[in-house]
Amino acid sequence: MLLNIPLVDLSAQHESIRDEMIEAMAGVVDSSQFILGDELRSFEAEFAQYCQVPYCVGVGNGTEALHLALRALGVGPGDEVITAANTFIATALAIAHSGAEAVLVDVDPDGYSMDAGLLEDAITPRTKAIIPVHLYGHPANMSDVLAIADRHDIPVVEDASQAHGALYKGQRVGSFGRMACFSFYPGKNLGALGDGGAVVTGDIELAERLRLLRHFGQVGKNVHSGIGFNSRLDTLQAAALRVKLRKLEEWNGLRRTAAGLYQNLLSETDLVLPAEHPDCTHVYHLYVVQHEERDRLNDALASAGVHCGIHYPTALHEQEPFRHARTVPHGAPVAVERSRNMLSLPMFPGLDEEKVKYVAEQVCSALGATVVR
Ligand SMILES: *Cc1c(COP(=O)(O)O)cnc(C)c1O
């Protein structure tokens, strides 16, 4: 029987909390408090606690979270900010929005994140921040990144947009850097019913600066202390996110269960399967495999009703806005090679055993391998 399995299906997660979310949003409608207010403050407090940090500032989206975090650090024209050569383009766009230049470090050959062994080569006197990305839901090598950053006195801003709830050495990602940025784009592990984002931090001064930056630089009615932006997390979204946050642990658990099944069923193929470092708890925002014949496999799966994704089909410096970005080492060859081999298999809470088995069977049949049972 031919099944049809999308890369991401949000309907299963929404089914169980639909009424609760609508009730929470109706409460916002009844209060007429659509911008800032109690519901946003409550979400911020709950998400900060979840991330094991004192402060959370809700902003318009994940890109703005990164942009405002860099602004809060005073990053601007003439500065450099280091990030990974293989991330969603928004990480680098946020650097460009701040006026700084993005410097792109190649990928760790054994993982998905920036190769911390190359970080020192990327640092110059102009480096004002380092943005490790917890790509696909797997934490970056924070011990090494933080040690190098500390040695050079450079602040670290985590891009945790794909890793809500992931753990590094038993501690939540988002609690390691001076700040950490999250996206609540609907398909993320914690997703809103539209756009949303947040910055979390342990530094009260940075939290206050972020609150000004997201709200016109306003310190009091008609009193503005700087060039602020209009980038708040919508109160309606905060209400929905409060309901969803209570399910995040369960949903991440379902992702891990599905990943475990994939891991067993695909162990006899020649795919490179995602590895979980012993220090890390992966939350599988994406389940990314590697194969030399990625495009053939992708086409065969699509014909069998299995819809995969590619994250991402190019390295950042292969995209027009970052064509002239400095790469370390030159050309970031691992990131380029990976972009040709990567394939994201369907992954979402609600991807049950039957569906995982179907995907695995189709993968094995396309590769001429046997499914392990
Ligand atoms: C989704 C994402 C962003 C951007 O978030 P938006 O809310 O879509 O602006 C930034 N970085 C990474 C790694 C992401 O996955």
Side-chain angles (χ1 to χ4, degrees):
M1 191 182 60
L2 191 69
L3 296 185
N4 193 46
I5 303 180
L7 174 67
V8 177
D9 179 2
L10 300 177
S11 63
Q13 58 169 259
H14 286 159
E15 200 175 82
S16 68
I17 51 162
R18 186 180 178 279
D19 294 346
E20 224 184 316
M21 280 195 301
I22 287 173
E23 200 178 314
M25 294 175 92
V28 175
V29 173
D30 293 341
S31 76
S32 294
Q33 176 82 70
F34 295 108
I35 302 293
L36 304 174
D38 291 342
E39 200 69 23
L40 178 59
R41 254 192 304 277
S42 298
F43 171 70
E44 288 172 336
E46 288 159 8
F47 192 63
Q49 187 182 34
Y50 179 82
C51 294
Q52 305 173 338
V53 290
Y55 310 105
C56 168
V57 180
V59 298
N61 54 63
T63 312
E64 278 299 283
L66 290 158
H67 169 215
L68 298 188
L70 294 174
R71 293 261 177 183
L73 289 172
V75 172
D79 295 337
E80 291 176 352
V81 175
I82 297 170
T83 193
N86 68 326
T87 171
F88 181 50
I89 195 162
T91 318
L93 291 175
I95 296 170
H97 292 328
S98 77
E101 273 170 45
V103 174
L104 307 173
V105 170
D106 206 356
V107 186
D108 180 346
D110 301 324
Y112 303 127
S113 301
M114 71 164 69
D115 187 344
L118 298 167
L119 191 50
E120 209 123 40
D121 295 341
I123 293 173
T124 74
R126 297 201 287 147
T127 308
K128 290 292 149 48
I130 299 170
I131 308 184
V133 184
H134 307 303
L135 201 67
Y136 310 145
H138 189 284
N141 178 352
M142 291 310 290
S143 291
D144 288 0
V145 170
L146 288 169
I148 295 163
D150 281 351
R151 198 149 65 232
H152 294 267
D153 202 20
I154 299 169
V156 169
V157 177
E158 298 168 67
D159 185 348
S161 294
Q162 301 191 358
H164 318 66
L167 300 172
Y168 183 76
K169 298 191 174 169
Q171 190 184 321
R172 289 258 188 254
V173 304
S175 60
F176 291 90
R178 285 284 297 281
M179 285 174 279
C181 300
F182 289 88
S183 164
F184 304 125
Y185 178 82
K188 303 291 163 98
N189 288 38
L190 178 63
L193 307 177
D195 278 312
V199 185
V200 300
T201 181
D203 183 326
I204 191 167
E205 279 178 28
L206 286 172
E208 279 169 5
R209 230 172 280 164
L210 287 160
R211 288 204 178 93
L212 295 179
L213 281 167
R214 74 169 171 183
H215 190 59
F216 311 117
Q218 185 174 303
V219 282
K221 193 132 187 95
N222 295 314
V223 184
H224 302 268
S225 66
I227 310 283
F229 298 83
N230 177 356
S231 181
R232 298 148 310 206
L233 175 60
D234 259 17
T235 308
L236 274 171
Q237 297 300 344
L241 284 166
R242 288 185 72 193
V243 176
K244 289 183 123 188
L245 179 57
R246 299 198 275 273
K247 301 287 273 188
L248 181 55
E249 285 297 284
E250 181 190 329
W251 287 338
N252 281 345
L254 291 172
R255 289 174 185 273
R256 288 179 56 77
T257 304
L261 269 173
Y262 271 141
Q263 216 83 7
N264 288 336
L265 295 168
L266 298 172
S267 60
E268 297 293 300
T269 66
D270 59 351
L271 289 174
V272 179
L273 301 178
E276 185 179 48
H277 190 278
D279 286 339
C280 297
T281 302
H282 195 331
V283 290
Y284 294 98
H285 172 57
L286 294 166
Y287 187 87
V288 178
V289 300
Q290 297 170 58
H291 196 273
E292 279 184 7
E293 295 178 74
R294 187 268 313 276
D295 292 334
R296 181 181 71 76
L297 178 60
N298 193 19
D299 291 347
L301 290 174
S303 328
V306 174
H307 303 286
C308 298
I310 297 174
H311 300 87
Y312 297 89
T314 69
L316 282 187
H317 56 288
E318 297 178 284
Q319 295 286 343
E320 192 53 41
F322 301 104
R323 213 167 278 289
H324 303 293
R326 187 156 64 84
T327 45
V328 178
H330 183 70
V334 181
V336 171
E337 190 209 321
R338 290 289 180 81
S339 69
R340 313 300 190 252
N341 295 346
M342 292 287 192
L343 188 68
S344 309
L345 301 183
M347 173 53 75
F348 50 89
L351 185 77
D352 58 20
E353 190 167 341
E354 185 201 353
K355 295 191 181 89
V356 175
K357 280 187 171 154
Y358 180 79
V359 174
E361 276 163 17
Q362 300 312 316
V363 170
C364 290
S365 125
L367 295 177
T370 46
V371 191
V372 176
R373 289 183 184 278

